[in-house]
Amino acid sequence: MAKRDIGIKNSFKIYQAFLTAAFVAFVVLTIIFWIYYRSDIFIDNLYYNGIEVEAEIIDVICTDATPDSTSSSSYVYKGVYLYVSPEGKEYSGTHTLPGGEKYAQTFIGTKITIVIDPTGTDSIDSSMKYVSSTHGKVSFHFTLACVFTGLLCVAAYLFLYRVVYRNRLDKKILERANGRFVSNCVREGEVTKVLKWVVCYVKVKYQDESGATRERWARAWFTHKEVRFLQEKKTITIVPYKNTYGILEEMQ
């Protein structure tokens, strides 16, 4: 069975891949739930203050194009609506129209139902029935937004420290190890303790750069299989660096 590197020479660490994926996922979820929360505030505001009015479609625009199975592109046309209140306030937005461009043009001048906020200039292309059926989710989405923001903070710390910083530190320690014939920095250390959890820690007794005996926990994380190998080997190869060290080993 081929040997594989563990410690500072291990360029792919499973836990780092997991932390990176978790960080990206929490970023996306946090953004999504804050967007939901802002949308809920908008809907709740219309629910408590909104009134239904009839707006007029004054123009047609082509908003985007997306591929479909029958043609190279499928164009989406929307009508631009406008409502002017008795007080002179203008409310505008867009309303999705069926069919192609020519058919969409026939809707110019027609009336549609919208909901407006008389206290401001917000409006929505919908009815009060829809607004009533979708309001009341502010607390739920706010709670989720706060929870995922908290999780994102934890994930960001782990990602920045355990992935970004650790990879940079390991690279520096490895560069130092590659100059071992000049600096004589590669040494043997004795594994004195291990701590097993979801991830594992190793404590090693070694001599630092000044020759003083140190006993420190490795800052790196290891799998249960890796820490069992180091524990059984007992005496392992390390590279002291400032107030820490890197483990330089291979295992089956």
Side-chain angles (χ1 to χ4, degrees):
M1 183 182 294
K3 292 184 177 181
R4 68 177 183 86
D5 296 314
I6 62 173
I8 57 176
K9 286 186 69 176
N10 182 10
S11 59
F12 177 78
K13 300 178 179 67
I14 295 176
Y15 75 84
Q16 289 191 343
F18 173 77
L19 290 177
T20 301
F23 174 70
V24 173
F26 287 138
V27 167
V28 173
L29 289 171
T30 299
I31 292 173
I32 288 174
F33 284 115
W34 279 117
I35 290 174
Y36 279 158
Y37 170 67
R38 287 178 60 87
S39 177
D40 291 339
I41 291 177
F42 174 76
I43 291 294
D44 274 18
N45 184 55
L46 289 176
Y47 174 75
Y48 291 111
N49 301 313
I51 58 173
E52 279 189 1
V53 296
E54 295 292 314
E56 180 181 348
I57 295 179
I58 60 173
D59 195 10
V60 172
I61 58 174
C62 180
T63 57
D64 55 23
T66 54
D68 63 17
S69 59
T70 58
S71 62
S72 59
S73 63
S74 177
Y75 296 94
V76 178
Y77 293 93
K78 291 190 176 183
V80 179
Y81 66 78
L82 176 67
Y83 171 77
V84 181
S85 71
E87 295 80 18
K89 284 186 181 180
E90 293 188 354
Y91 299 84
S92 63
T94 58
H95 171 77
T96 302
L97 299 171
E101 182 178 9
K102 289 184 178 181
Y103 185 65
Q105 292 287 342
T106 64
F107 284 87
I108 294 178
T110 60
K111 302 285 186 177
I112 61 170
T113 299
I114 66 170
V115 178
I116 66 168
D117 174 14
T119 64
T121 57
D122 290 334
S123 66
I124 186 173
D125 169 30
S126 191
S127 64
M128 281 302 298
K129 182 179 180 181
Y130 169 79
V131 172
S132 299
S133 66
T134 56
H135 95 286
K137 298 179 181 178
V138 172
S139 297
F140 175 69
H141 285 141
F142 179 71
T143 300
L144 287 178
C146 290
V147 168
F148 280 104
T149 298
L151 292 173
L152 175 59
C153 291
V154 175
Y157 165 75
L158 292 173
F159 173 74
L160 293 174
Y161 179 73
R162 285 292 170 185
V163 180
V164 178
Y165 171 75
R166 285 302 311 177
N167 282 342
R168 183 176 177 81
L169 182 61
D170 287 353
K171 184 179 179 180
K172 287 184 176 180
I173 297 174
L174 191 57
E175 287 174 352
R176 181 178 177 82
N178 288 335
R180 58 187 176 279
F181 297 112
V182 177
S183 61
N184 191 30
C185 64
V186 178
R187 299 191 177 99
E188 287 188 340
E190 179 186 356
V191 177
T192 57
K193 291 181 182 179
V194 297
L195 179 61
K196 298 180 181 180
W197 190 52
V198 178
V199 292
C200 302
Y201 292 89
V202 177
K203 195 172 190 180
V204 176
K205 182 189 292 185
Y206 66 97
Q207 288 186 327
D208 65 13
E209 297 172 13
S210 66
T213 300
R214 304 288 185 186
E215 188 173 1
R216 287 195 175 109
W217 290 99
R219 294 183 181 178
W221 284 351
F222 298 93
T223 65
H224 284 256
K225 184 177 181 180
E226 290 170 344
V227 82
R228 187 163 53 248
F229 166 79
L230 296 173
Q231 189 176 21
E232 290 174 354
K233 189 172 182 182
K234 191 70 174 177
T235 301
I236 62 174
T237 304
I238 67 166
V239 184
Y241 180 78
K242 296 184 178 180
N243 64 342
T244 185
Y245 59 88
I247 292 176
L248 191 63
E249 283 290 344
E250 288 183 330
M251 64 174 287
Q252 295 287 352

